[in-house]
Amino acid sequence: MVKNSFIPVISQEQKEKNSGSVEFQIFKFTNRIRRLTSHFELHRKDYLSQRGLRKILGKRQRLLAYLSKKDRIRYKKLINQFDIRESQIR
């Protein structure tokens, strides 16, 4: 299991101030995705968690699509900062 693969990019005061922003939501989903991905290295047949992972991936993808349409510069910065692959489907 991979430890410390989470993103410590957002400080505590930013968490309290902007907990509803698109960037913070994508940050939280990305951390949960990485945590679940490392969980599957040990538990390959945990199908309920796999379903949850797919749901989280879909939510993050919808948020990224929204941000891409609204502000392309913030989207590119977020993709580079969190090391997320850019969506091929448009």
Side-chain angles (χ1 to χ4, degrees), residues 28-45:
K28 281 182 56 175
F29 286 141
T30 303
N31 276 341
R32 288 180 65 190
I33 288 167
R34 290 189 176 159
R35 189 172 57 238
L36 280 172
T37 304
S38 65
H39 168 77
F40 292 134
E41 291 176 4
L42 293 176
H43 309 283
R44 296 188 190 283
K45 294 189 176 186

Side-chain angles (χ1 to χ4, degrees), residues 7 9-10 18-34 56-69 71 74-85:
I7 307 167
V9 177
I10 298 178
N18 294 329
S19 63
S21 68
V22 176
E23 288 91 352
F24 183 73
Q25 291 179 37
I26 292 172
F27 165 75
K28 281 182 56 175
F29 286 141
T30 303
N31 276 341
R32 288 180 65 190
I33 288 167
R34 290 189 176 159
I56 294 169
L57 284 168
K59 287 180 184 179
R60 185 180 76 174
Q61 191 62 38
R62 285 191 297 275
L63 282 171
L64 286 170
Y66 168 79
L67 189 61
S68 170
K69 290 177 188 174
D71 192 352
R74 280 173 48 198
Y75 170 76
K76 287 286 190 182
K77 181 181 172 188
L78 194 69
I79 291 291
N80 291 332
Q81 186 178 18
F82 292 159
D83 195 30
I84 302 172
R85 288 182 288 171

